[in-house]
Amino acid sequence: MKRYIVLAVTSLAMLSATAQDTYENARVLGSDLNGTARYVGMGGALEALGADISTMSTNPAGIGMFRHSYASVSFGGVHQEEVNKFDNLGKTNLSIDQAGFVFTMNLFDEDAYVNFGFNYHKSRNFDQIIQVNNRFTHPASLNKLAFAKNTFGSDVAGGYSLNNYTGKWMGYRNSAEVNDYGYPFTQWDYLYQNVYNVDDKNVANEQEPDIIFNDADNYYFDKSHRGWIADYDFNVSGNVRSRFFWGFTLGLHTINYKGYSLYDEEILSGDGPSIGTMVLEDERRITGNGVDLKAGIIFLPIEESPFRIGLSISTPTWYEMKSENYTVLHNNTVTPENYKPWGYDYLSSDDVYEYKYYTPWKFGLSLGHTIGNYLALGASYEYSDYSTADTRIYDGTYDEYDNENSYSDRVMNNHTDRTLKGVSLLKLGAEFKPDPSIAVRLGYNYQSAAYNEKGFRDTTLDSPGTYFSSTPDYVNWKGTNRITAGFGYRVNKISFDIAYQFSNTKGMFYPFQPDVEFDDPNGTWETNISTPSSLNFKRHQLLFTLGYTF
């Protein structure tokens, strides 16, 4: 245990602007490979081949290839490898993944159609368990990081200045500030400073409190993610003489996410032995609604050839989001001999805040070719620059339609630019029909990493997104490989399809930002170095689709 005397200055704080940080927001970027079993079985490579209801959200022109009205529903389950049940979330979970229809209208000649469609699909399935057990290879702990940020003294330097004017120890912008909390003063900073770091019981009257920290030996982390992003797509599409196809889709999106985590550190005394544990328990819910527009074309450039090219574009999804958390720090350490107890056995923090988030633009290029009536080949490429995502803060003013105005969170967006990067998505697929009623499918899908390897969740940022964060952990996920296979059978107007998907994503988990250096009040140089742990997220999906042509 290390104890220091620091000067605390009385001040009063208010904070009104709200936002969220890069890593919390990034979970809503992109989408899973999900939809109909035909689409999944071919790795999603149907943007140029078309005539599948799932292309409504990727290349809307694909719906223009339907010549008969059609309806389908898809359902199945996912299974995660190498984890144990946590927070009542099991390794296997069922899901309703898609339901929609296309209504075709033949116009003035047999080669001219205008089609209308609606499709619901689950673009993100958040169900995931993360479990980590590791040992710090360098002296570090989360309470030490909170201590370090207080030594920085101001928000400009990435920290804050402590005082207890309100009856709790709060972090202010600097020692002279009397109005505002410092944005780097996170909810978990508040908990650690009040539960453990500030000892105001073992000092003489009117003396400043001791500010302490202890290193940790091991850390344990368990987290359950659950929920989804649901997309509701409305499409109009058509064709010109079966050589040029066009389409537009209006997409409505709803977010329903819940995360629950336990972060446990085994705390060491100054002499080395364990003195107990400290456990940070956090529950976070994120909800929201968004809207976007998509447009696409498919054309056959060569006369008398079925070879086709597809082009698509999607606007950002303009989200309005709300984040809620309830966080508790449990102090299970023993009080040193001859010391009075200080702080709390546990303390909680909760908050609710709203903000806007605009995802990046997305662009697509696809190729398709058929050989007779027995073989279809598809390839698709999509690109979206995640580093351009825009976290926005409500400013308290309203436009003429009573909508609250917002502005970009410059500091957090700069961090997003440094942390995230452009993401490429490659899809390859094939469908073989040995008989008109039977289809066999194979696919491969690869999505490149969204995170820079050296990116980290910076809790020293002077941004509202930092202030409202309740945990410091993060994962830098690498690229995702998906291998798929499927089978289809058709009897008259009824079709039945099944698909299997295996996806694998590796990543590095960090309990908090990797390396913070600081001088303690006695002038001793200290470091707080986070030890990462490798993750391997393996998931299996089995998907069924029942379709009807009318």
Side-chain angles (χ1 to χ4, degrees):
M1 180 180 296
K2 299 192 178 181
R3 312 177 71 88
Y4 303 94
I5 304 295
V6 299
L7 179 64
V9 178
T10 298
S11 57
L12 180 64
M14 296 180 65
L15 189 76
S16 58
T18 59
Q20 186 58 284
D21 71 74
T22 297
Y23 281 85
E24 288 288 357
N25 287 333
R27 72 177 76 256
V28 308
L29 297 177
S31 60
D32 298 332
L33 174 59
N34 202 20
T36 66
R38 179 175 180 245
Y39 182 81
V40 172
M42 293 185 67
L46 286 169
E47 281 72 30
L49 292 171
D52 188 278
I53 202 166
S54 289
T55 63
M56 195 178 297
S57 63
T58 55
N59 185 351
I63 305 302
M65 290 190 166
F66 278 93
R67 290 294 173 269
H68 300 280
S69 298
Y70 176 79
S72 67
V73 59
S74 303
F75 53 92
V78 294
H79 174 81
Q80 183 180 348
E81 288 188 20
E82 301 174 356
V83 293
N84 298 313
K85 184 177 181 180
F86 176 69
D87 187 35
N88 291 321
L89 180 65
K91 297 190 291 184
T92 303
N93 300 283
L94 301 179
S95 177
I96 302 296
D97 296 287
Q98 178 272 326
F101 67 89
V102 175
F103 179 71
T104 62
M105 292 180 59
N106 184 223
L107 298 180
F108 45 84
D109 66 56
E110 62 181 15
D111 287 331
Y113 281 80
V114 173
N115 299 337
F116 300 90
F118 166 79
N119 190 46
Y120 154 81
H121 87 283
K122 186 179 292 184
S123 62
R124 289 295 302 274
N125 185 338
F126 289 125
D127 290 355
Q128 182 188 32
I129 298 171
I130 294 177
Q131 294 174 323
V132 176
N133 177 359
N134 206 348
R135 185 172 189 172
F136 287 109
T137 57
H138 300 84
S141 69
L142 190 49
N143 74 80
K144 187 177 181 179
L145 179 56
F147 178 96
K149 291 169 67 178
N150 180 52
T151 67
F152 298 157
S154 70
D155 53 359
V156 175
Y160 46 82
S161 179
L162 281 174
N163 80 60
N164 67 340
Y165 179 82
T166 63
K168 291 287 194 301
W169 292 97
M170 309 298 291
Y172 294 86
R173 292 183 58 189
N174 54 62
S175 60
E177 182 59 58
V178 295
N179 292 313
D180 294 314
Y181 298 140
Y183 283 148
F185 186 66
T186 67
Q187 292 189 64
W188 58 263
D189 278 289
Y190 161 77
L191 294 174
Y192 275 93
Q193 297 291 7
N194 284 277
V195 167
Y196 189 75
N197 287 35
V198 179
D199 177 5
D200 54 4
K201 302 298 184 183
N202 293 285
V203 294
N205 291 337
E206 299 183 0
Q207 281 192 346
E208 298 300 332
D210 285 359
I211 307 298
I212 66 173
F213 73 83
N214 287 73
D215 291 315
D217 185 17
N218 301 320
Y219 70 82
Y220 309 87
F221 182 81
D222 294 274
K223 185 165 187 176
S224 64
H225 302 271
R226 47 164 53 94
W228 61 85
I229 298 179
D231 294 358
Y232 304 87
D233 292 327
F234 300 83
N235 174 273
V236 58
S237 56
N239 78 90
V240 178
R241 300 196 178 278
S242 296
R243 299 198 61 81
F244 180 83
F245 303 84
W246 55 270
F248 299 92
T249 295
L250 170 67
L252 305 179
H253 309 262
T254 62
I255 301 170
N256 189 328
Y257 167 82
K258 177 189 173 184
Y260 176 77
S261 65
L262 292 174
Y263 174 67
D264 186 334
E265 288 183 337
E266 185 177 359
I267 305 300
L268 300 176
S269 69
D271 299 328
S274 171
I275 58 172
T277 64
M278 299 187 74
V279 181
L280 185 65
E281 179 183 10
D282 180 74
E283 179 177 315
R284 180 166 294 278
R285 295 179 180 269
I286 299 175
T287 56
N289 297 292
V291 61
D292 63 17
L293 297 171
K294 308 175 186 72
I297 60 171
I298 300 171
F299 61 95
L300 283 66
I302 303 172
E303 193 75 26
E304 306 301 329
S305 171
F307 175 73
R308 61 203 71 177
I309 299 173
L311 299 172
S312 61
I313 184 172
S314 176
T315 69
T317 302
W318 297 288
Y319 278 116
E320 294 184 347
M321 299 172 67
K322 181 171 74 171
S323 187
E324 308 170 70
N325 76 281
Y326 180 75
T327 309
V328 183
L329 179 61
H330 304 269
N331 180 8
N332 303 316
T333 62
V334 297
T335 303
E337 188 176 356
N338 299 323
Y339 277 83
K340 301 175 184 177
W342 71 90
Y344 297 86
D345 291 334
Y346 63 90
L347 186 66
S348 66
S349 174
D350 61 272
D351 224 318
V352 180
Y353 49 99
E354 298 179 350
Y355 62 102
K356 288 187 176 183
Y357 188 60
Y358 298 166
T359 68
W361 288 81
K362 183 170 67 177
F363 307 91
L365 169 66
S366 52
L367 305 174
H369 188 62
T370 59
I371 300 175
N373 293 321
Y374 62 87
L375 183 63
L377 303 172
S380 301
Y381 174 79
E382 295 177 1
Y383 179 80
S384 184
D385 188 355
Y386 285 16
S387 69
T388 63
D390 185 12
T391 301
R392 303 183 64 84
I393 302 169
Y394 285 116
D395 66 7
T397 66
Y398 294 83
D399 63 20
E400 58 184 318
Y401 302 105
D402 203 32
N403 297 310
E404 189 169 4
N405 297 312
S406 64
Y407 62 93
S408 295
D409 184 343
R410 179 184 56 81
V411 173
M412 190 58 67
N413 286 345
N414 287 341
H415 178 259
T416 299
D417 182 59
R418 297 191 302 269
T419 305
L420 304 182
K421 57 185 180 179
V423 173
S424 296
L425 179 61
L426 175 65
K427 310 174 187 179
L428 302 173
E431 180 180 63
F432 174 65
K433 290 187 174 182
D435 181 90
S437 62
I438 298 174
V440 180
R441 306 175 182 114
L442 292 174
Y444 174 72
N445 183 295
Y446 173 74
Q447 180 173 299
S448 66
Y451 298 89
N452 287 311
E453 288 186 4
K454 295 184 178 180
F456 63 94
R457 192 174 184 183
D458 190 350
T459 67
T460 68
L461 295 176
D462 188 19
S463 163
T466 307
Y467 179 85
F468 284 100
S469 65
S470 55
T471 59
D473 60 90
Y474 64 97
V475 180
N476 283 342
W477 293 108
K478 300 180 180 180
T480 300
N481 288 279
R482 303 179 177 102
I483 299 173
T484 66
F487 175 82
Y489 182 69
R490 183 181 183 89
V491 180
N492 297 322
K493 295 183 178 183
I494 299 176
S495 60
F496 176 79
D497 297 276
I498 183 173
Y500 166 77
Q501 175 185 180
F502 171 72
S503 65
N504 185 21
T505 310
K506 296 182 179 181
M508 293 299 293
F509 168 85
Y510 293 81
F512 43 80
Q513 60 196 88
D515 189 0
V516 172
E517 300 176 355
F518 62 99
D519 290 322
D520 68 35
N522 292 334
T524 303
W525 180 73
E526 295 274 0
T527 61
N528 195 60
I529 301 176
S530 177
T531 300
S533 299
S534 60
L535 297 177
N536 196 356
F537 178 41
K538 297 179 181 179
R539 185 158 74 175
H540 304 264
Q541 181 187 27
L542 194 61
L543 183 66
F544 303 89
T545 297
L546 182 64
Y548 180 74
T549 302
F550 58 98

